[in-house]
Amino acid sequence: MLQRGLATGLPIMLGYLPIAITYGVLAKQAGMSLSELTLMSVMVFAGASQLMGANMIAVGAGALEIITATFVLNFRHFVMSLSFMNQLRNIKLKWKAPLSLGLTDETFAVAALNPKEAKMEKGVLFYTAIILMAYLSWILGSFLGGVLGEVIPDRLSQSMGIALYAMFIGLLIPSVKKELKVGLIAIIAMLINAVCVYLGMSTGWAIVLGTIIGGMSGIYLLKEERA
Amino acid sequence: MIFLIIIGMSLVTMIPRIIPAFVVDKLEFRDWVNRWLNAIPYAALGALIFPGILSVIPERPYIGLIGGIVAIGLAYIGLNVILVVIGAIITVFLISM
């Protein structure tokens, strides 16, 4: 199980390293020390909000502003956690609570698309392996970015910005091939998200609304096979 | 100061993540709520992909779009996620030259 989890989590590592390195470089430029920027990865473990945090520190924003923005941006994890914890009902709280802390967009996507393991014996190790691997590569990548940021050419690190999106696509498409309705749910969520962004909503809330309202389409669309 | 920011960010990130771990056992969801929660992964993926992907290279949104289309193609023919990611990175690298 542990090994299967590591293999399943490998793409997250690949997606995280470039983003984490980018974060490390930016945080260093924002004036954070190496230990501060690494500590932020250890304690926060949320890519988008750390990048935002580093940016805000660079422009001299206040602590309260940064913390509020982080809350808004990360509230989507509440929805994801609710869905994930519902999937993990058979697993004990002493495992569930630490696993919930390791929930990110990526670990959620990978874990949630592998629901069978939650019912298997030692299945908890599968999820633990995915999350630990993501967590460690995130911390390592941030540290590396802080140390050797200037060595990486700009254009390469910029191109790597596609990595996480490509991973989300790579995760979604096999499910869509199996069940077309799943693609419809995703497209509805995309459109709601896009409309919210267009109306001037912050990215965080737009994703929350896209996920919640888009997910509602599943109440009707997933009716037959899961009832 | 930065240390304070880190602690604050850490708390507001942890709290929404961990609350469901404690409440979900106490709740018995109706069938439609379960279907809703089961759809959340797909909805979340959709919302995370678009329109965010357009900002890969913010001044040229079509580059992210092309990278995404390549990723869809690679995933559709059944390649492993890692190869999908590498393929998309190479595509963006080449067309942004």
Side-chain angles (χ1 to χ4, degrees), chain B residues 11-66:
Chain B
L11 284 176
V12 298
T13 310
M14 278 163 76
I15 292 166
R17 279 175 180 169
I18 205 168
I19 287 174
F22 290 94
V23 299
V24 90
D25 284 333
K26 304 197 171 61
L27 304 172
E28 204 49 64
F29 292 130
R30 284 167 186 276
D31 206 40
W32 66 268
V33 179
N34 274 319
R35 287 203 302 274
W36 183 7
L37 293 178
N38 287 338
I40 293 287
Y42 309 114
L45 280 172
L48 289 168
I49 294 168
F50 188 85
I53 196 165
L54 300 178
S55 65
V56 170
I57 294 178
E59 58 276 18
R60 288 192 285 171
Y62 66 91
I63 290 183
L65 200 62
I66 295 172

Side-chain angles (χ1 to χ4, degrees), chain A residues 43 45 49 70 74 78 81 83 86 89 93 96 100-101 103 113 155 159 165 177 182 189-190 193 212 215 219, chain B residues 9-10 13 16-18 21 24-25 27 29 34-37 39 42-43 46-48 50-52 76 93 97:
Chain A
M43 290 183 60
F45 187 39
S49 41
T70 305
N74 280 342
F78 177 78
S81 183
S83 166
N86 193 39
R89 271 175 187 269
L93 184 65
K96 258 194 303 214
S100 75
L101 292 178
L103 201 77
L113 296 182
R155 207 157 61 78
S159 309
Y165 295 110
K177 276 171 80 177
V182 159
M190 278 182 198
N193 185 28
I212 292 179
I219 299 172
Chain B
M9 285 176 74
S10 170
T13 310
R17 279 175 180 169
I18 205 168
V24 90
D25 284 333
L27 304 172
F29 292 130
N34 274 319
R35 287 203 302 274
W36 183 7
L37 293 178
Y42 309 114
L48 289 168
F50 188 85
Y76 189 80
F93 188 74
M97 274 166 93

